[in-house]
Amino acid sequence: MLAVVGAGVIGLSTAVCIAESIPSCAVTVLAEHFTPDTTSDVAPFIPLLNLLMLTSICLHYLLVLHLFLTKQNNNKLFLSVRWQVFQETPSTKDPYWSTVVLGFHMMTDAELQRFPKYKFGQSFTTIKCECSKYLLWLEKRLKNAGGQLHTEKITGFEQLTSSYDIIVNCSGLGSRDLADDQSLYPVRGQILRVHAPWLKHFIRDGNGHTYIFPGIHSVTLGGTRQKHNWEMSVDEADSSGIFERCCELEPSLKKSQVCSKLVGLRPTRNSLRLEREFFVHGNRQVPIIHNYGHGGGGISIHWGTALEATQLVKESINWRNPTSKL
């Protein structure tokens, strides 16, 4: 019996990967909140890495995600053309992810004409999806693999040691208390969703603070990156700032209608925690695989870290049962 704590994109993808890779393992996802009430539901599905995640392993995880998604028969996934524009030409014109996305090229003068304040741009094609739809797809996939979903607030690993042989911790910011990890902190993100069906291209200011992400039913406008800010209420000053910046980037947004305003807290630490430890409770020693601290890059690297966590689960099963050949 295996428990995955957390039902965002990290928890569900990890649970799916384990259930499909190890059919003999009974997988249960435990969480206080499921979609549409997770942090992942707020995040736009943008599979790109920020500069803080610029490592060879994260680039590998990004490639793994693209390979995984392009093989899926999922009508919720689409290809989307994206423009990234810069007010000053960056020192590196070919970004680290240019070999992962499709059709990467420098924007032509004709393409840049619609952005008069910008001197340089990059155009490419990548995957588009809406996170809530993707989470529902993961839930369905998990159930098809024999996994279960249970609503339960986990306040300590000792709650689980009598019922589960292995625990996978994907609790995000919950790990501050659950794993006593005080190095974990929130980076607050606020977005707007507007009705602007005429917009089809993803547009992002190269500074990373402003983006326009057309989804299936609405357009996401972002955003904020406020370190150590735990406030979950919508800040109207932030909303106004986001809307004004996005209208500068795409003036047609001035006639759009705001549908909703949302806040999410990115679970951030200096480095991703993806490792195994052993939790002792009474006479029980239970392996715990930690998979959290993805910050704003959870969407980009979730399948790669799910595969790594699954390998740690296999090693834990072999530790419990040395005759196992997983």
Side-chain angles (χ1 to χ4, degrees):
M1 296 282 287
L2 179 145
V4 176
V5 182
V9 71
I10 305 302
L12 288 178
S13 60
T14 302
V16 167
C17 195
I18 295 168
E20 292 182 348
S21 302
I22 316 172
S24 60
C25 186
V27 178
T28 300
V29 174
L30 302 169
E32 184 178 11
H33 301 292
F34 287 82
T35 185
D37 300 316
T38 73
T39 298
S40 298
D41 286 282
V42 179
F45 198 101
I46 305 175
L48 291 176
L49 302 176
N50 58 50
L51 290 176
L52 294 177
M53 305 183 73
L54 182 50
T55 64
S56 59
I57 189 63
C58 285
L59 287 173
H60 169 71
Y61 289 156
L62 180 61
L63 178 59
V64 166
L65 174 66
H66 274 264
L67 291 174
F68 167 70
L69 292 177
T70 53
K71 293 178 181 178
Q72 304 309 306
N73 181 20
N74 184 340
N75 60 10
K76 303 297 188 298
L77 298 173
F78 303 90
L79 290 176
S80 174
V81 175
R82 306 190 177 194
W83 293 321
Q84 181 159 259
V85 292
F86 299 80
Q87 293 187 353
E88 300 294 335
T89 303
S91 56
T92 303
K93 295 182 179 181
D94 292 332
Y96 50 90
W97 40 261
S98 61
T99 56
V100 177
V101 298
L102 303 173
F104 177 87
H105 68 272
M106 314 302 176
M107 291 175 67
T108 65
D109 290 341
E111 288 175 315
L112 278 171
Q113 281 183 357
R114 65 179 293 164
F115 305 107
K117 295 183 179 180
Y118 294 83
K119 298 179 179 179
F120 178 82
Q122 301 154 339
S123 177
F124 55 96
T125 299
T126 186
I127 305 291
K128 177 170 83 172
C129 183
E130 294 204 356
C131 282
S132 350
K133 304 287 186 185
Y134 185 66
L135 292 176
L136 287 172
W137 178 73
L138 288 174
E139 287 185 359
K140 182 178 180 180
R141 188 162 170 158
L142 176 62
K143 291 175 183 177
N144 288 341
Q148 299 183 52
L149 306 169
H150 289 167
T151 302
E152 182 178 352
K153 183 175 182 178
I154 306 302
T155 57
F157 293 129
E158 62 275 4
Q159 288 177 242
L160 307 174
T161 53
S162 61
S163 302
Y164 297 96
D165 301 306
I166 300 173
I167 300 167
V168 183
N169 175 30
C170 303
S171 61
L173 274 177
S175 292
R176 267 183 71 91
D177 295 325
L178 198 56
D180 193 25
D181 187 348
Q182 300 307 302
S183 69
L184 194 62
Y185 62 91
V187 176
R188 182 180 178 275
Q190 182 168 315
I191 62 166
L192 309 180
R193 286 187 179 146
V194 303
H195 183 67
W198 60 89
L199 292 181
K200 304 299 181 185
H201 290 69
F202 167 87
I203 308 170
R204 181 178 185 265
D205 189 305
N207 65 23
H209 297 300
T210 304
Y211 58 83
I212 300 165
F213 180 75
I216 299 170
H217 302 296
S218 62
V219 177
T220 298
L221 309 183
T224 63
R225 294 181 180 275
Q226 300 163 346
K227 292 183 178 181
H228 304 286
N229 187 336
W230 290 89
E231 183 55 61
M232 285 296 294
S233 299
V234 170
D235 185 310
E236 293 302 335
D238 285 340
S239 295
S240 298
I242 291 168
F243 192 75
E244 289 171 8
R245 295 198 313 271
C246 288
C247 286
E248 288 181 8
L249 196 56
E250 175 52 64
S252 71
L253 281 168
K254 292 176 182 178
K255 61 183 179 181
S256 67
Q257 295 180 330
V258 176
C259 305
S260 59
K261 305 171 184 178
L262 301 169
V263 174
L265 304 180
R266 306 173 182 96
T268 307
R269 65 200 303 273
N270 289 336
S271 61
L272 168 72
R273 187 179 187 191
L274 183 50
E275 63 182 1
R276 180 178 67 175
E277 69 172 349
F278 291 91
F279 182 78
V280 178
H281 184 240
N283 60 355
R284 290 271 288 170
Q285 186 178 25
V286 178
I288 298 179
I289 289 86
H290 295 287
N291 183 13
Y292 67 84
H294 297 65
I299 295 297
S300 300
I301 65 174
H302 71 273
W303 196 253
T305 59
L307 290 171
E308 294 284 349
T310 299
Q311 181 57 39
L312 291 173
V313 168
K314 291 179 179 179
E315 293 173 9
S316 300
I317 292 174
N318 292 337
W319 169 79
R320 282 198 167 279
N321 181 11
T323 61
S324 175
K325 296 184 179 181
L326 290 176

